[in-house]
Every structure is written in structure tokens, then in C-alpha cells.
Amino acid sequence: SQQGEEDPQALSIQEGENATMNCSYKTSINNLQWYRQNSGRGLVHLILIRSNEREKHSGRLRVTLDTSKKSSSLLITASRAADTASYFCAPKNTGFQKLVFGTGTRLLVSP
Amino acid sequence: EAGVAQSPRYKIIEKRQSVAFWCNPISGHATLYWYQQILGQGPKLLIQFQNNGVVDDSQLPKDRFSAERLKGVDSTLKIQPAKLEDSAVYLCASSQMDRGPYEQYFGPGTRLTVT
């Protein structure tokens, strides 16, 4: 199992702006997952990207994966105050490998 | 579908007391996880069950923490005796399987304060 490291640690933007956060990991993966945690809804799975995919979209979310650089990015377009949360990436190997969460990126979206 | 249920939502105890948390996973989910999340940190896996067998408990402080998943459905996590550093949110999660691209579904958590 391995831990993803999110960057930046904190990000503050205005509503309507885009937010980009990055994730780096160390060894090969089967897939990489992004989760969001806010005080109201707890920890929620956002999107999963497989190792053979380069980009994936879900609503206002866009995730990219570069396995050669062992990195992923999460883009939130047209941010809303409700996007205020901590975002965690979780790279996953095959088999019974646990998800190891880093400290996350704390996103603050101001009205 | 119903989500992962946890109880209680909040618990305050004194150090050296015991406490138990309960989790009911999503119906049909074979894998169940307990995480500890200390303020300002990401969740840390304490124990992982596949049906009613333990897959990973390498980070469970076994001198004081115990967990069981009877009949492969509900699970309980117990701390006895509690220490001040056990103050955290305890999250339960479940997934269809552990192998492969299955996301985890988390419950609302139990916030434990040890005084």
C-alpha cells in the first residue's frame, strides 16, 4: 500500500474560479481515487481513474493521471461555496491493498 | 440505497474508561473498514475485514483496541481502556470487494472525546 501526497496543503479561491489540486505517489497503481470530506457530509468518494486512463470527467470535476510522472490532478471548475472541503487522493495497488490517505488539500471557496 | 450507518455519533468518556462503536455497512458489501481520523490528518486504517475475516489489522493498537464482525455484516470497535490520544473521529466504511476498482463508502463517523 502507498500514500498519496496532496499539494497544495491549502487553497483559497473565490466562487466561480477553478481549483486545481495535485497528488503524487511512489509506486505503480491499479487505480487512483479522489475523496472529499466536509463537515456536513463526511468522507465521500468523488471519482476513480484507472491506470490505463489519462483523463476522466464527472460533472464539474476533471481528473488526470500521468503514470509516467506518478501524479494526478483534480480540477474543479466554476467552484461554489459548497465545494469547501478537504480533498484526499488515494492511490491503490492490486490485491488486498489498503487505501492510505494523506493529509489532504483544504479548499476554501469564498462567496 | 441506505448508506453506512454508525452509532453513536458523539461520545465523551474519561480516560481509562471503555467505549464501543457500532457500524452497519451497505447491504451486500463484503469488505468493511474502520479508520481513525485525528484532527488535521487524513483517515488512518485500523482494521479491514473481508466478510468476517480480518485482512489487515497492522495499525490496530491491539493492547487496547479490538474489533469484530460477526456473521460478516455488522461490526463493533472497542477501546479499553481509553487514552487521551484516542480522541478522534472513528469512521466506518464498506466496499463491494477489496480487490479491484471498488470505491469505499463512508459512514458519518463517531466523534470520540477522551477527557
Side-chain angles (χ1 to χ4, degrees), chain B residues 4-22:
Chain B
V4 177
Q6 289 188 248
S7 68
R9 292 293 309 275
Y10 305 91
K11 190 73 177 179
I12 301 175
I13 62 173
E14 295 181 350
K15 59 183 179 183
R16 290 188 290 274
Q17 286 186 324
S18 62
V19 64
F21 312 126
W22 173 82

Side-chain angles (χ1 to χ4, degrees), chain A residues 35 37 43 45 92 95-96 102, chain B residues 37 42 98-99 103-104 106:
Chain A
Y35 288 80
Q37 185 175 40
L43 198 64
H45 178 268
K92 193 170 189 301
F96 287 113
Chain B
Q37 186 173 23
D98 183 79
R99 293 178 183 272
E103 63 262 36
Q104 296 183 19
F106 285 80

Side-chain angles (χ1 to χ4, degrees), chain B residues 19-74:
Chain B
V19 64
F21 312 126
W22 173 82
C23 172
N24 182 236
I26 292 173
S27 178
H29 280 194
T31 311
L32 184 146
Y33 315 78
W34 282 103
Y35 291 86
Q36 178 193 60
Q37 186 173 23
I38 293 172
L39 188 64
Q41 300 180 18
K44 181 183 81 173
L45 181 71
L46 293 176
I47 189 166
Q48 177 179 333
F49 292 94
Q50 181 72 12
N51 297 309
N52 60 352
V54 176
V55 173
D56 187 332
D57 63 357
S58 58
Q59 297 198 87
L60 186 74
K62 298 180 185 63
D63 58 335
R64 298 183 301 106
F65 286 64
S66 64
E68 60 182 7
R69 190 183 184 196
L70 299 177
K71 301 180 182 178
V73 182
D74 294 8

